[in-house]
Amino acid sequence: MGEDNRLAAVVALAQGMAAAHTPRECWHAAAAGACRALDGSFAALSVWERELGRLRVLVNVGERAPGEEEFPETEAYPVHQFPEIAEFLHERWAGGGGPNAWVETAEGPAAGRPGYSHQRVAALRRRGRGCCLVAPIVLHGRAWGELYVARASHAPVFGRADADFATVLASVVAAGIAQTERLEEARRLAYTDALTGLANRRAVDVRLYEAIERHRVDGAVVSLVVCDLNGLKKVNDTCGHAVGDRLLERFGSVLSLCGAMLPGALAARLGGDEFCLLALGPPADDVVRAADELCRRAGELELGEGVACGVASTADPIGPVRSGRRLFRLADAAQYRAKALRARRPVVAGREGPDDPVVRLADAPPPERAERRSFRGRRGCDPGL
């Protein structure tokens, strides 16, 4: 491959990784781009999991052998079988060398440092491949994993120039992985409450919109639990905000625990002393049981005065739910009624007969409650907002 073609291959690899939206897409773009750039028949990207002492395969692309999955869940290899990932990257590096790629063939090493080939040679033979390139990936100054590209047994063997080029590609892959990690961290922070570690208001906005869309399409049950932590202001005023924060954190843990009773439920802090659980799929009675357990556990906390809890579910007689905003108003009205009644158990919208007071309150809120909480939806997406 000429210099111009190699430069184009590097640019294509970088662009492919930059266009990825998820870690999986990033891994696939890295392996596929390197495979094309090196004219390989197969490529894999693996990460070194130091705490488990293993190389775990993230993605396999190209001509996969029997048993090789594109995104394997369990394909991993003990590092002691491939000591170069540790020794080559540390001992040689410490001596002034660099994380250079090397070549191995089904007959033994063809280029690079010999002595580590027996496991890889056996794998090449077992899978009908003739040679491979192994390029260490270094991220933040540490060995992160490796890029592996192989050719079929009838193809030309990789040479020293290919190994040098693979080293360059590995550095491009490292930069792409670093960018993806930064984006993932930014996404995590954007949808996470900093104090409790639960989902935040923005995450609820997005998930509730998606859940209501599912309900519109196939009638999936959507349930929302809205709760207000009682006594937080008193704790802040008498014990200080640090103690109040501990109460919020402790209740957040209780909410997460009770949310685990509902598969796939989202536990979130809406802000201040307001929290919610959003469930898609579980029956309404299961959601009420989880809310009941939440009330019980909140009442046993050392600080605070329990919780006011309201539940609204599309499976209950609350009328058609065409928007996330209406479901939220119903759960909010149920929570408001629970607080007014000083109820120790959740109030459930629609379960007090044809003239249910919660449904009336939600559908015809008095002026002083109309602006109590503004539930943000996706502009232009939810016709009920």
Side-chain angles (χ1 to χ4, degrees), residues 81-137:
Q81 294 182 0
F82 304 95
E84 70 275 12
I85 193 65
E87 296 178 23
F88 183 87
L89 286 174
H90 290 286
E91 292 182 7
R92 182 172 176 181
W93 205 351
N100 299 320
W102 66 92
V103 179
E104 290 172 4
T105 75
E107 304 302 321
R113 185 177 180 181
Y116 296 123
S117 63
H118 59 288
Q119 293 290 345
R120 297 189 191 274
V121 168
L124 286 171
R125 293 171 179 168
R126 186 170 62 252
R127 292 164 180 162
R129 295 168 184 146
C131 62
C132 69
L133 269 169
V134 183
I137 296 172

Side-chain angles (χ1 to χ4, degrees), residues 15 146-147 163 200 241 256 358 375 380:
Q15 290 176 336
E146 68 173 37
L147 176 66
N200 65 8
H241 285 272
S256 179
V358 170
F375 182 73

